[in-house]
Amino acid sequence: MQPGPEDALESAQAQIRELELRTKELTRRERARQREVTAVRRKLREFAGDLEFALELERRRASELEQAYYDMVLRLTRASVYKDNETGAHIQRVSFYAKIIARSLGWSEVDQELIFRAAPMHDVGKIAIPDILIRKRGALGAEDRRIMESHTLIGAQLLEGSNSRLLEMARDIAVTHHEHWDGTGYPRQLQGNQIPIAGRIVMLGDNYDALRSCRSYKKGFTHEKACRIILEGDLRTRPEHFDPQLLDLFRTIHPEFNEIFERFQKEESLGL
Ligand SMILES: [Fe+2]
Ligand SMILES: [Fe+2]
């Protein structure tokens, strides 16, 4: 018997019911999937929040630790200044010169701040040098000079052994701020790029400031004379001692060095 129109209708209705059931089932599954996705997203957000919180705590802890290192070494630096005939103002000025050079070299703000904080520690090793030697006037004998020059190695020993970037840079500076580009410095007679850039930078600032400063045995030189000695040399200082790239920069930025020195002089005379 041929199926009649009623059978066809029934079959079509059965198919529609089947389709409706399947659609319902698919909709139910889709909703369940979406609920799962939402739950996973919420968990991920919670996890990201926890992670962000943990990272923030870690960042805060690291910066507190870095600050604690800095405070501790600054105190050590102050103690070394008491022994030295250099003034506290000298180490502060060296920080400013170093930052000016770093900025002119295109260093990031973070790294400029790092050298600003590390530079004052360059002579921290003098804390271990006998007072009698530090205050001695005139030329030192070979043995005395050897002891005096050891302030670089002692400084490095005091500052090494931590993974603080600040102390690592301070260590590099302490051990290399008397090295010369042409290999005639101390303690290791390093040459050129063997000397870390932070050491080369501080060496230039330290020399400029020493030339400008009064000592028990000499008056401070004018800015012009200090520049002439650095750029053209005298009996002790040779242009070959300095990194030629830094010397080139110095030709342009030296007025800023003068501004720093003059500002400190003014503040000192006003008793600030
Ligand atoms: Fe030194
Ligand atoms: Fe110095």
Side-chain angles (χ1 to χ4, degrees), residues 111-141:
D111 287 348
Q112 288 176 40
E113 191 56 31
L114 204 62
I115 198 165
F116 183 81
R117 287 176 162 223
M121 308 176 203
H122 63 275
D123 272 338
V124 73
K126 282 192 180 168
I127 204 160
I129 306 295
D131 284 5
I132 192 163
L133 213 57
I134 285 179
R135 296 181 201 289
K136 213 170 189 174
R137 289 186 190 189
L140 297 175

Side-chain angles (χ1 to χ4, degrees), residues 45-224:
R45 266 201 300 273
E46 282 170 13
F47 180 64
D50 286 352
L51 202 62
E52 185 54 40
F53 182 67
L55 280 174
E56 180 54 34
L57 274 184
E58 179 57 26
R59 269 197 292 269
R60 237 181 276 171
R61 201 192 59 80
S63 94
E64 277 169 14
L65 192 64
E66 196 76 351
Q67 186 63 36
Y69 277 136
Y70 180 56
D71 288 348
M72 183 265 290
V73 180
L74 209 57
R75 280 167 174 72
L76 209 57
T77 307
R78 282 197 201 121
S80 74
V81 166
Y82 282 124
K83 294 194 63 149
D84 206 345
N85 51 10
E86 309 223 77
T87 63
H90 160 74
I91 60 168
Q92 284 183 50
R93 287 191 299 261
V94 172
S95 278
F96 281 101
Y97 307 138
K99 191 172 181 177
I100 291 168
I101 301 171
R103 192 203 62 219
S104 309
L105 284 170
W107 284 24
S108 69
E109 298 252 331
V110 171
D111 287 348
Q112 288 176 40
E113 191 56 31
L114 204 62
I115 198 165
F116 183 81
R117 287 176 162 223
M121 308 176 203
H122 63 275
D123 272 338
V124 73
K126 282 192 180 168
I127 204 160
I129 306 295
D131 284 5
I132 192 163
L133 213 57
I134 285 179
R135 296 181 201 289
K136 213 170 189 174
R137 289 186 190 189
L140 297 175
E143 179 58 11
D144 284 352
R145 203 167 59 241
R146 190 193 61 75
I147 297 171
M148 192 64 188
E149 292 180 353
S150 71
H151 79 275
T152 49
L153 298 164
I154 295 166
Q157 281 167 13
L158 284 170
L159 295 165
E160 73 192 355
S162 96
N163 50 12
S164 145
R165 276 192 73 206
L166 174 68
L167 292 200
E168 278 174 6
M169 185 184 275
R171 189 205 77 95
D172 282 351
I173 292 171
V175 76
T176 61
H177 71 283
H178 288 287
E179 296 287 3
H180 294 163
W181 182 260
D182 63 358
T184 59
Y186 68 85
R188 295 194 176 115
Q189 291 80 48
L190 299 179
Q191 277 184 21
N193 290 324
Q194 287 179 326
I195 309 164
I197 181 72
R200 286 179 260 151
I201 290 174
V202 169
M203 182 265 193
L204 177 55
D206 197 28
N207 270 272
Y208 171 82
D209 206 73
L211 291 167
R212 296 291 318 264
S213 302
C214 280
R215 292 281 190 274
S216 51
Y217 53 90
K218 76 157 183 77
K219 275 189 169 179
F221 297 141
T222 62
H223 173 67
E224 290 68 29

Side-chain angles (χ1 to χ4, degrees), residues 26-61:
L26 282 174
T27 310
R28 192 191 62 74
R29 279 194 209 162
E30 179 56 23
R31 284 201 185 123
R33 202 187 62 81
Q34 273 177 3
R35 275 198 300 275
E36 265 173 36
V37 169
T38 309
V40 168
R41 274 204 191 121
R42 196 172 49 236
K43 281 228 167 68
L44 275 175
R45 266 201 300 273
E46 282 170 13
F47 180 64
D50 286 352
L51 202 62
E52 185 54 40
F53 182 67
L55 280 174
E56 180 54 34
L57 274 184
E58 179 57 26
R59 269 197 292 269
R60 237 181 276 171
R61 201 192 59 80

